[in-house]
Amino acid sequence: EAGVAQSPRYKIIEKRQSVAFWCNPISGHATLYWYQQILGQGPKLLIQFQNNGVVDDSQLPKDRFSAERLKGVDSTLKIQPAKLEDSAVYLCASSTRGTGTGELFFGEGSRLTVL
Amino acid sequence: GQNIDQPTEMTATEGAIVQINCTYQTSGFNGLFWYQQHAGEAPTFLSYNVLDGLEEKGRFSSFLSRSKGYSYLLLKELQMKDSASYLCAGLDSNYQLIWGAGTKLIIKP
């Protein structure tokens, strides 16, 4: 079974530029998450989708971050404009359970460096 | 507020046993997860406890006490490949995961 795919693995941009990350979850997984993980910290949930609807985006900085999950499969996370403090690894995860209680399967992450 | 506390770093010797503790405060409780994360890699699932007691899975065991808001991960017969961060996460009443900052485990020969 193919795992969660993410791209790009690494991205370096200057502040005020924009960046987009892509995620393809495990086939059949209804729930998709985007997490931000800063070095030395635990993952912070940015947004959770159930199929193509948003379940929780309370910690998403909506003035600069946006995410979509068209057709309930792939998802894109965009940052525009980026700030220095956005330097982090952006992890995409998916799970089978509708309420998100099941095991999360993570992708390898997209490491963002903002200069 | 909701909070997960775990030690920042621990050191242990190859072949030994180590216990990583986690205390949690969540709004409601629907279970406790442990994930392993090697440096530069994604977290991978280790265990899930929702009832009190010890769950054993090979060299790894996880314990939960709901009355004390406490869990631990026990690693036996430590191997060098066990060097990683171990993340504790509680599932609250809204089925949202509250993550700890992780415990970096260093294994020495």
Side-chain angles (χ1 to χ4, degrees), chain B residues 14-80:
Chain B
E14 189 177 17
I17 299 173
V18 71
Q19 177 175 312
I20 302 173
N21 296 324
C22 168
T23 57
Y24 64 87
Q25 288 179 303
T26 56
S27 300
F29 180 75
N30 281 298
L32 194 291
F33 288 85
W34 284 96
Y35 279 78
Q36 180 190 59
Q37 186 174 27
H38 285 101
E41 298 182 12
T44 54
F45 171 81
L46 286 178
S47 67
Y48 170 66
N49 294 63
V50 67
L51 299 176
D52 288 351
L54 186 69
E55 297 268 349
E56 298 187 70
K57 193 184 294 185
R59 295 188 299 114
F60 291 14
S61 302
S62 56
F63 172 83
L64 177 67
S65 168
R66 289 174 297 173
S67 63
K68 296 181 179 179
Y70 167 70
S71 173
Y72 67 71
L73 181 68
L74 190 72
L75 292 73
K76 302 177 184 176
E77 301 170 14
L78 285 170
Q79 301 175 10
M80 297 303 293

Side-chain angles (χ1 to χ4, degrees), chain A residues 9 35 37 40-43 45 48 56 91 99-104 106-108 111, chain B residues 30 33 35 37 40-45 48 87 91 94-97 99-102:
Chain A
R9 286 295 311 278
Y35 282 94
Q37 187 174 29
Q41 298 182 18
L45 180 67
Q48 178 183 340
D56 183 357
L91 294 165
T99 56
T101 57
E103 171 189 348
L104 267 62
F106 285 87
E108 292 186 309
R111 183 177 296 275
Chain B
N30 281 298
F33 288 85
Y35 279 78
Q37 186 174 27
E41 298 182 12
T44 54
F45 171 81
Y48 170 66
L87 297 162
L91 199 60
N94 294 319
Y95 294 95
Q96 299 304 316
L97 278 170
W99 293 85

